Structures are given as structure tokens and as C-alpha cells.
């Protein structure tokens, strides 16, 4: 059985303690690999390597040379996309159909930010001061701690690593303890691409044992985190004590809003892709369906019909639509939310429990589940389930749709389904979320900013904005003439 180790200062090394953690295949339920169980000592070694790398060969590379390394990494990822996809599917149960596309697509982030690296320019500022020349330059922050969740380990890491390296920073990565194998494998490609030792490091292990000391390490300049809002808040609080920068990509309770004038069939497919793709284990899950009352019953009937035909089973099979839940604690949490919804009076019209039918193996499948009769103050409408559970809420008009949509603590994304272009623009303006999709859902690109409003987070991944989250601007004043002005008055 393979053991995935840390990667520190250009070497694959076991945990100092020698301890490991078992990694389970969520489909079969069997232990298929082990990962190093890191500690504060391992974190310190990795942060020291990353700090030293900031002063070494890496600092002598110009932005174009950093860009070339990122482009080389993109090529290696494309060449190895099938192997990376296989590991990810084995480790977290995502569909091969999705992962085989995602691992290839990931390369585009490294290309985009590789290309952007030497296009970041300071400015010459036309100030009001005669005889002083003022200009700005953008500089890297230093060592970036990158902490990622289990649902899309490689893609979510890529969203941080590509801009951070393009900007000239170094990295210490802590992947989820449930899904570390693909990140450690990526380190092989980092090495082959030619990044100097210490520029990218990975320490695997538990949140308390690796994440906590990493966030509080004095030599970490910024924490880039994707995960739950609860962990995000703890990280924010810890970082605050050292005035450390953070970016937080947290959870969501995104509304998919369907108006009566929408293309009905397209909207049904969009709602399904929002909540049952990736088995609902995605931050952008459209977990609240807001349906205009006049089409409620017909729409729900068609939705139940289509969702009820989803093939559940082996994530490796190209015919599978819904795979297993990635972790046992997550499985238990989803079942608990289904019980809560029932107790709160919601009406289960599809699924509603573990799936044990054809295609199921292990014991981590949950049926695609739909609740109607949901009120927006019920827990099933307010709290992130992170599973294949949809809450349907009726509305009368635009105003009520907006009121319900915005009445949650999260603000990650929203979908709007309508044939009225004016309405789509009005809705997009009024929704308090970081991403709005109109007549589509779950579209993302390396070119477009992604991130949350409200409790869904701080900062942006992807697009030009993202690189500035990994840079700081310096203002430089140069006297063009020497003067002996009054030293007791501001210049
Ligand atoms: P999690 O918060 O439990 O863990 C995420 C990572 O943080 C793991 O690596 C974990 O070990 C580490 N961690 C946990 N506590 C920590 C602490 N106190 N200090 C430092 N590190 C700590 O989240 P999860 O269960 O792995 O992932 C699911 C969550 O991630 C969901 O809430 C989902 O919405 C969110 N998510 C958000 C986005 C986004 O971009 N907004 C994307 C994917 C997932």
C-alpha cells in the first residue's frame, strides 16, 4: 500500500513522528493508501524551507522566468491528467467523467497566471509635489499557507497556487486529511517543472495538528483557505492576532431561482446540475430552489422524474451520475439534516435516506433527495448540508424571490432562470452573492473572479483580481532635486 509523504524543501519525507493516517476509498470503503501524520515540527521545517526559498534562487528569477515555470507545470499536468484524475477519484469518490475533464482544465490556471506574471505593473503617480518622483511596485507577500478541503483538492489548490507563484511567493500546502494523495502527487510535477527546492512544500495531516500551527506560524505572511465557515472563522481569528492577511473561500446556501417564463427543460437540468452533480458536495451547490408559485407543482413533478432516474454507483463508470459521499462524518451529517428537515415539517418528495440499491458498494451513498414545503427559516434552508439534498421554496414575484434569496448568512452564488433579459439584470444587481449565473449554473473559468459575499468569504480566486490578493503595493518617493526644506513640516 502506498504511503504519501510530506514534500519539504524538495524532498519527499515521512512525518517526524513516523505516524500515518489511513485514507479510505469512499466507493469501496477500503483503506487504499496512507498519508503522513504531520505535526508542528514538520510545519516548522516546511515554513523555514519556504522562507529560505524567498531569499534564494527563486528571488533571482524575473517574472517572465516564473511564468515559464508555470507554463512548464501546465504541460506536465496535461500529460499526467489521467493519473491525477484516477488518484482523485480513488481518494474522494468524484466522478471520473468530471475529473478527467477537470484535471486537464486545471492546467489553464497555471497558463493564465504564468502569462500574467510579467504583466503586473506599478505606476508612475502624478503627485502634487514638485521635485519628487513617485512610483509604485508590486511585491510578493512571502510564505503563503494554503489550506484546502476534501471536495476538489487539486482544483481548489490550483486556484491559490497559480496566482501565488506568479506573484513570486512561496507556499506551504496543507491538504485535507481525507484527500491528500493527489496534492502530494502534484509535488512530483512541481519538482519536474524545475521549481527550486522549498518554493512549494506540502505537509499532510489533521487540521488541529498541522493546520493550527501552520496558521499561527510567525513566518507565514498570509493564509489562503478554502473550507467550512466554521474553520474559516477560527483561522481568521488566529490570523488576526498577528495581523496576518487571509483569503477565505467558505460555504454557501445558494438559491437557484426559476421564473415561470424560463425555458422549463433547461431550468430542470440546471437545477439538477446545481445540486446533484458532485453529489451535492460543492460549495456552489444550488441547494435552495426558489420556484415561482404558478409553475411549482409541474416543475417539481418533472424534477423528481429526471432526478429519480440518476444512475448511482461506481464513480469510475462513465454512466454514473451520482457517486458516494466522500467521508463518513459527512455522510452522517447529511443524514442528520434529512432528519431535521422532516422534523421541521418539510415534505420529502424524492429519496430521503441512504442508497443501497444497484451500483452501491461500501456504505456511503445517499439518495438524491428533494424537500418541498420548505420555509426559508427552516434549518434545511439556512444551513449548508454539502450533500445531494434540495430544499424547494415557492415565491410570488421578483421582490419576494430577492427577499428569500438574500435572507441567509451566506452569499457565494445564485442562479436565475428567466426569458426576460431586463429581469435577469435586475436580479443580478440585487442578489448579494459573488457569482450570478443566468440561464446556466456551475460555470467557472480561470479568467473570471470567484468568491463570496457575506459569510461565504473574503478575497477572490481566479481572474486578474486574484493575483493582487498575493501582492502588496509599495510607494517609492525619489527627490529629483536636493533641498533643505523645513524638516518640521510634512513634505
Ligand atoms: P473544513 O473546514 O473542515 O476543512 C478544510 C481544511 O481546513 C482541511 O484541510 C482541514 O484539515 C483544515 N482545518 C480544519 N480546521 C482547521 C483549523 N482550525 N486551522 C487550520 N486548518 C484547519 O472543510 P471540509 O469539510 O474539508 O470542506 C467542506 C467545506 O468547504 C464546505 O463548507 C464547503 O462549502 C467549503 N468549500 C468552499 C469552497 C469555496 O470556494 N467557497 C470550495 C469548496 C469547499
Amino acid at each position: 500500500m502506498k504511503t504519501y509523504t510530506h514534500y519539504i524543501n524538495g524532498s519527499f519525507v515521512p512525518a517526524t513522528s513516523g505516524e500515518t493516517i489511513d485514507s479510505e476509498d469512499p466507493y469501496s470503503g477500503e483503506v487504499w493508501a496512507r498519508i503522513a501524520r504531520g505535526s508542528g515540527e514538520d510545519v516548522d521545517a516546511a515554513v523555514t524551507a519556504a522562507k529560505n526559498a524567498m531569499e534564494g534562487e527563486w528571488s533571482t528569477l524575473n517574472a517572465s522566468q516564473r511564468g515559464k515555470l508555470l507554463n512548464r507545470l501546465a504541460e506536465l499536468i496535461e500529460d499526467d491528467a489521467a493519473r491525477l484524475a484516477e488518484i482523485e477519484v480513488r481518494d474522494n469518490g468524484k466522478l471520473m467523467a468530471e475529473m478527467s475533464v477537470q484535471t486537464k482544465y486545471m492546467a489553464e490556471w497555471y497558463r493564465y497566471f504564468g502569462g500574467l506574471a510579467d504583466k503586473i505593473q506599478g505606476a508612475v503617480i502624478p503627485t502634487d509635489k514638485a521635485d519628487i518622483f513617485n512610483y509604485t511596485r508590486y511585491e510578493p507577500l512571502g510564505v503563503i499557507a494554503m489550506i484546502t478541503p476534501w471536495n476538489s483538492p487539486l482544483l481548489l489548490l490550483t486556484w491559490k497556487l497559480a496566482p501565488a507563484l506568479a506573484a513570486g511567493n512561496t507556499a506551504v500546502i496543507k491538504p485535507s486529511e481525507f484527500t491528500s494523495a493527489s496534492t502530494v502527487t502534484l509535488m512530483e510535477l512541481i519538482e519536474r517543472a524545475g521549481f527550486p527546492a522549498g518554493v512549494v512544500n506540502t505537509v499532510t495531516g489533521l487540521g488541529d495538528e498541522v493546520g493550527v500551527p501552520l496558521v499561527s506560524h510567525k513566518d507565514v505572511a498570509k493564509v489562503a483557505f478554502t473550507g467550512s465557515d466554521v474553520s474559516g472563522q477560527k483561522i481568521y481569528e488566529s490570523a488576526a492576532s498577528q495581523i496576518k492577511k487571509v483569503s477565505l473561500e467558505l460555504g454557501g446556501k445558494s438559491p437557484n431561482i426559476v421564473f415561470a417564463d424560463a425555458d422549463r427543460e433547461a431550468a430542470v437540468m440546471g437545477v439538477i446540475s446545481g445540486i446533484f452533480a458532485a453529489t451535492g458536495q460543492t460549495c456552489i451547490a444550488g441547494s435552495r430552489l426558489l420556484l415561482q408559485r404558478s409553475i411549482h407543482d409541474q416543475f417539481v413533478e418533472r424534477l423528481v422524474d429526471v432526478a429519480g432516474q440518476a444512475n448511482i454507483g461506481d464513480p469510475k463508470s462513465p454512466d454514473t451520475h451520482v457517486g458516494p459521499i466522500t467521508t463518513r462524518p459527512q455522510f452522517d451529517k447529511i443524514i442528520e439534516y434529512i432528519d431535521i428537515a422532516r422534523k421541521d415539517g418539510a415534505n420529502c418528495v424524492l429519496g430521503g435516506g441512504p442508497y443501497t440499491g444497484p451500483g452501491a458498494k461500501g456504505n456511503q451513498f445517499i439518495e438524491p433527495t428533494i424537500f418541498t414545503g420548505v420555509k426559508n427559516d427552516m434549518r434545511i434552508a439556512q444551513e449548508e448540508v454539502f450533500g445531494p439534498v434540495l430544499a424547494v421554496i415557492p415565491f410570488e414575484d421578483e421582490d419576494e424571490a430577492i427577499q428569500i434569496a438574500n435572507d441567509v448568512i451566506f452569499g457565494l452564488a445564485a442562479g436565475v432562470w428567466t426569458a426576460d433579459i431586463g429581469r435577469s439584470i435586475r436580479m443580478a444587481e440585487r442578489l448579494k452573492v459573488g457569482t450570478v449565473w443566468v440561464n446556466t449554473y456551475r460555470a467557472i473559468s480561470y479568467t473570471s473572479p470567484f468568491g463570496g459575499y457575506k459569510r461565504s468569504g473574503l478575497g477572490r480566486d481566479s481572474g486578474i483580481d486574484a493575483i493582487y490578493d498575493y501582492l502588496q503595493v509599495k510607494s517609492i518617493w525619489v527627490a529629483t532635486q536636493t533641498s533643505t526644506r523645513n524638516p518640521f513640516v510634512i513634505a
Side-chain angles (χ1 to χ4, degrees):
M1 187 179 302
K2 183 161 167 105
T3 299
Y4 291 87
T5 65
H6 303 323
Y7 180 67
I8 299 176
N9 206 20
S11 299
F12 289 90
V13 290
T16 315
S17 66
E19 286 185 47
T20 59
I21 301 170
D22 289 344
S23 202
E24 279 178 16
D25 174 340
Y27 173 55
S28 66
E30 287 156 11
V31 174
W32 77 280
R34 293 195 182 95
I35 63 159
R37 181 170 178 165
S39 61
E41 217 175 317
D42 300 324
V43 166
D44 194 45
V47 175
T48 302
K51 187 182 175 210
N52 291 341
M54 277 305 294
E55 311 295 327
E57 186 191 344
W58 180 240
S59 66
T60 68
L61 300 184
N62 60 43
S64 307
Q65 289 168 317
R66 291 200 303 272
K68 279 186 189 150
L69 283 175
L70 286 162
N71 274 289
R72 174 80 187 119
L73 178 60
E75 279 166 29
L76 294 172
I77 288 171
E78 262 175 358
D79 292 349
D80 231 354
R83 181 170 69 118
L84 292 172
E86 211 171 289
I87 293 170
E88 196 108 305
V89 170
R90 191 83 196 265
D91 215 15
N92 89 344
K94 268 182 119 70
L95 298 189
M96 183 55 89
E98 175 152 356
M99 281 319 299
S100 53
V101 177
Q102 203 181 87
T103 45
K104 270 212 167 76
Y105 190 38
M106 222 172 82
E108 299 304 335
W109 268 262
Y110 294 100
R111 284 209 179 91
Y112 177 84
F113 285 102
L116 190 57
D118 58 9
K119 290 159 198 74
I120 300 302
Q121 300 171 346
V124 173
I125 313 265
T127 71
D128 55 321
K129 317 285 172 214
D131 306 331
I132 312 187
F133 176 69
N134 177 228
Y135 68 98
T136 57
R137 45 181 270 120
Y138 284 91
E139 298 180 346
L141 302 173
V143 178
I144 314 289
M146 301 180 184
I147 303 181
T148 53
W150 45 258
N151 61 319
S152 266
L154 281 180
L155 187 68
L156 297 172
L157 169 62
T158 291
W159 290 6
K160 303 176 188 330
L161 192 56
L165 294 178
N169 300 282
T170 59
V172 177
I173 301 160
K174 192 220 111 34
S176 167
E177 53 272 35
F178 294 107
T179 57
S180 297
S182 57
T183 299
V184 176
T185 306
L186 184 72
M187 298 304 106
E188 293 172 20
L189 307 188
I190 292 276
E191 188 160 288
R192 273 171 41 209
F195 286 90
V199 172
V200 183
N201 308 272
T202 293
V203 180
T204 59
L206 304 175
D208 284 349
E209 295 174 1
V210 175
V212 169
L214 179 57
V215 170
S216 62
H217 197 291
K218 66 177 178 28
D219 292 327
V220 165
K222 168 176 173 156
V223 184
F225 172 77
T226 298
S228 65
D229 62 319
V230 175
S231 309
Q233 182 177 333
K234 286 187 194 150
I235 286 168
Y236 201 5
E237 284 166 0
S238 163
S241 67
Q242 296 170 325
I243 320 289
K244 211 168 261 183
K245 293 179 173 49
V246 294
S247 54
L248 305 170
E249 298 287 355
L250 310 176
K253 196 73 201 176
S254 302
N256 226 331
I257 308 168
V258 183
F259 287 89
D261 65 359
D263 178 322
R264 203 71 59 85
E265 205 53 19
V268 167
M269 295 308 163
V271 169
I272 285 178
S273 96
I275 187 64
F276 299 127
T279 319
Q281 301 173 111
T282 141
C283 53
I284 51 179
S287 51
R288 288 184 300 153
L289 168 59
L290 274 51
L291 265 184
Q292 198 154 27
R293 206 177 287 279
S294 60
I295 57 163
H296 179 280
D297 293 357
Q298 269 182 324
F299 195 96
V300 168
E301 194 180 318
R302 179 73 184 134
L303 190 63
V304 166
D305 186 32
V306 179
Q309 290 172 38
N311 295 326
I312 304 173
D314 185 350
K316 291 183 287 309
S317 160
D319 302 327
T320 299
H321 301 127
V322 176
I325 303 303
T326 302
T327 77
R328 192 67 204 171
Q330 186 60 26
F331 174 92
D332 294 339
K333 179 179 155 191
I334 298 168
I335 293 293
E336 196 184 324
Y337 269 108
I338 290 174
D339 289 344
I340 290 169
R342 282 205 175 95
K343 280 189 195 120
D344 284 351
N347 179 26
C348 186
V349 293
L350 182 72
Y355 174 80
T356 51
K361 208 178 165 188
N363 55 2
Q364 261 170 230
F365 282 92
I366 292 183
E367 298 168 307
T369 296
I370 300 177
F371 282 100
T372 57
V374 174
K375 301 212 169 45
N376 202 47
D377 59 0
M378 289 182 183
R379 288 183 63 190
I380 197 68
Q382 290 290 322
E383 297 173 22
E384 186 181 46
V385 176
F386 219 62
V389 182
L390 181 66
V392 185
I393 306 168
F395 68 87
E396 287 299 334
D397 54 18
E398 274 180 41
D399 283 345
E400 195 185 10
I402 287 291
Q403 189 273 322
I404 297 170
N406 287 339
D407 182 21
V408 282
I409 55 173
F410 296 109
L412 193 58
V416 178
W417 299 83
T418 177
D420 180 339
I421 190 165
R423 167 183 283 156
S424 72
I425 292 169
R426 287 193 298 276
M427 293 292 290
E429 276 179 19
R430 296 176 71 190
L431 285 162
K432 302 276 185 254
V433 297
T435 295
V436 177
W437 290 295
V438 176
N439 295 330
T440 185
Y441 205 85
R442 237 178 147 230
I444 48 153
S445 169
Y446 46 92
T447 57
S448 186
F450 177 85
Y453 278 28
K454 303 197 284 189
R455 205 175 161 89
S456 289
L458 298 172
R460 291 295 177 267
D461 282 333
S462 304
I464 291 175
D465 301 77
I467 200 164
Y468 292 101
D469 279 357
Y470 294 95
L471 289 163
Q472 50 198 339
V473 66
K474 181 180 278 176
S475 178
I476 298 142
W477 300 81
V478 184
T480 53
Q481 296 207 36
T482 47
S483 74
T484 49
R485 59 178 190 81
N486 179 352
F488 300 103
V489 178
I490 195 166

